[in-house]
Amino acid sequence: MEIFAEAEKLAGLDKKGLWSDENFSATPPEPLYDPVVYITNTGEKYHQYHCQHLFQSKIAIKLSEAVRMGYEPCSVCRPAVVYVGY
Ligand SMILES: [Zn+2]
């Protein structure tokens, strides 16, 4: 049991590591890291779930899809920025 708890801790640390990777654009993208982001009916940006810009409409979409469709990261909520190599 203790081993499982330790593994969970490590997984949590890994997640945090991925999030902080946003700050380093030179870091190679993690191919499996494709979180859900949110777009609006009218906007050209994608957002994190809690972003204030999502009050009118909120459409869940995969980050890789959003990037491929030409959406750009919101400068307010700073969603994850990952370029998946398509
Ligand atoms: Zn936003």
Side-chain angles (χ1 to χ4, degrees):
M1 294 304 277
E2 275 176 28
I3 291 168
F4 279 115
E6 200 61 37
E8 261 180 354
K9 258 186 226 168
L10 288 173
L13 287 175
D14 275 354
K15 253 181 214 169
K16 275 179 193 164
L18 284 175
W19 281 105
S20 61
D21 276 351
E22 294 172 43
N23 301 323
F24 304 101
S25 55
T27 304
E30 175 61 61
L32 293 177
Y33 180 56
D34 194 11
V36 172
V37 294
Y38 297 86
I39 58 175
T40 63
N41 285 326
T42 53
E44 297 172 345
K45 307 285 177 75
Y46 63 85
H47 306 269
Q48 293 195 60
Y49 181 81
H50 57 77
C51 182
Q52 57 185 312
H53 289 293
L54 294 169
F55 63 94
Q56 280 181 323
S57 56
K58 182 185 289 182
I59 304 161
I61 185 175
K62 287 239 178 152
L63 171 60
S64 60
E65 281 293 313
V67 170
R68 198 157 38 164
M69 289 165 68
Y71 286 93
E72 293 181 351
C74 172
S75 58
V76 175
C77 60
R78 304 291 218 96
V81 179
V82 174
Y83 295 97
V84 186
Y86 288 117

